[in-house]
Amino acid sequence: MNSALLALFLALPPATVPAHAPPISWRPCGERQAECGNVEVPLDWAAPTGRKIKLSVVRRKATGKPLGTLFFNPGGPGGQAAMLLRDYPAYAVSDALLRRFDVVGIDPRGVGESSAVTCGRPVHDPAVTQFPRTPAGYRELMAHNRAVGLSCLSGTGPLVREIDTTSVARDFDAVRAALGESKISFLGKSYGSMLGTEYARLFPGRVRAVALDGAVDHSLGSERLVADAVVAVEDSFGRFAQWCAQTPACALHGRDVAQVWDRLLARAEREPIPVKDDRPLTGEELRYVAYVFLNQLPEYGNGLANGIVQAEHGDAQILSSVRASALDDPASTSAYRSILRLDIAHGITGYRDLRARLDRVRRLAPHMKGTSEFWDMTTGCLGWPIPPTNPQRPLNVRGVPPVLVVGNTHDPATPLSWARSLSSHIQGSGLLVNDENGGNGHSSYLRTSCATSRIDDYLISTRLPLAGTVCR
């Protein structure tokens, strides 16, 4: 989409979504009384009468007295809300919300069972570093990203240029219209907070309540996003080490966890660690897999400790099992990279700029060495053949009912500072800080009882928790 069309696209009023869309033709699906259907939306919202694409939609009707419709997005981008709500509803929302709402899960454009992104080359190549320390490594990374992006264009077609979060928000309002609802409630986790924020910005009058858990502030520049995320990951690694010191069941209890980790990482960077029946695990992969475990502290603390001990003994099978889904799954990684490429402007001017950022994150994170999703996002954009269509910009959300923003005190993926700053950009919003279970791990809904009940209470009543509320 050229700059003129982009300007037109961003200026489109909410009225571009039809007030009366064709109703959804529902059919029973799954084993737990779900309904499945499809909604057609424009490929390009700047050309609403042009080519159409399909959205996969799943609904669970309220089992009690209904309050209306609740849209749910689990994050990602690439998270499959339709499949999750259809087959694993207990992992999507609480029983309290299933009783009071018709809960709707939509696979966003580019994702899952909707019109999806297909790339002909793997997004992740263990032979190509995202932390290049030479100009040649930088050029190799750019060439790899360009080749992946071109393979996505070839495999997907023009859709891959139209999967930014603003387009997804417009799609969700088309589903609202097809449901015949004048207003919807929204629960978004992680990337879902970006989507929920954008929906509230575009359609403030169509919002009943919005809860944003594990919040991302999309107004922040890439350098700030990376620095904040790198520090948060390093903090979570330190808390993992502390947890092992305090927990006799931890396989690393009684040892210097940081020292054990540093030695294992140095070894993996010299020579990848063998994996039974799979390719070896590189040092870069080792750090990213550890980050995935840190997102689920304390629940996955033992898993990470056991994986480190197993890798010390020459087999990284436990850690490799997480690599398969986090780095090697073609569907989720293709959607993740392609969507965020349109939403994030990397701001890197060349190798010297990247090297300066690399030196900085290594200082900020001596054990995790700069590993974070936002480093992956920004370096994954270098050389990508499609420019961002929805990059970061100042955010000012007005005219919406009170919005609830939720952040963990020690979230490695979305630092609490982002929840605070996002809340400051949404007029009349409230902030819930979660410190239950030490505030560890990524997001809090269905992970901690206090935050879950506060979010449920808000979505049901539309009343924000008292200012300054902290779940402990």
Side-chain angles (χ1 to χ4, degrees), residues 215 217 403 405 418-431:
D217 183 354
V403 170
V405 182
W418 295 355
R420 295 188 188 281
S421 62
L422 177 61
S423 180
S424 73
H425 299 316
I426 304 175
Q427 185 182 45
S429 66
L431 176 67

Side-chain angles (χ1 to χ4, degrees), residues 96-174:
L97 297 187
L98 288 169
R99 282 195 301 271
R100 299 308 309 273
F101 289 97
D102 293 345
V103 182
V104 172
I106 308 163
D107 280 354
R109 56 172 60 205
V111 173
E113 296 171 11
S114 294
S115 296
V117 170
T118 301
C119 300
R121 291 184 57 143
V123 171
H124 169 64
D125 182 346
V128 179
T129 179
Q130 287 193 314
F131 297 81
R133 302 193 70 85
T134 65
Y138 178 79
R139 291 192 295 270
E140 184 180 28
L141 175 60
M142 291 189 67
H144 167 74
N145 291 339
R146 178 172 176 78
V148 172
L150 289 174
S151 81
C152 300
L153 269 170
S154 175
T156 309
L159 172 64
V160 81
R161 300 181 183 272
E162 306 289 347
I163 52 176
D164 59 277
T165 299
T166 299
S167 295
V168 175
R170 295 187 184 280
D171 291 346
F172 275 42
D173 200 56

Side-chain angles (χ1 to χ4, degrees), residues 31 119 190 206:
E31 298 179 357
C119 300
S190 194
R206 294 172 183 166

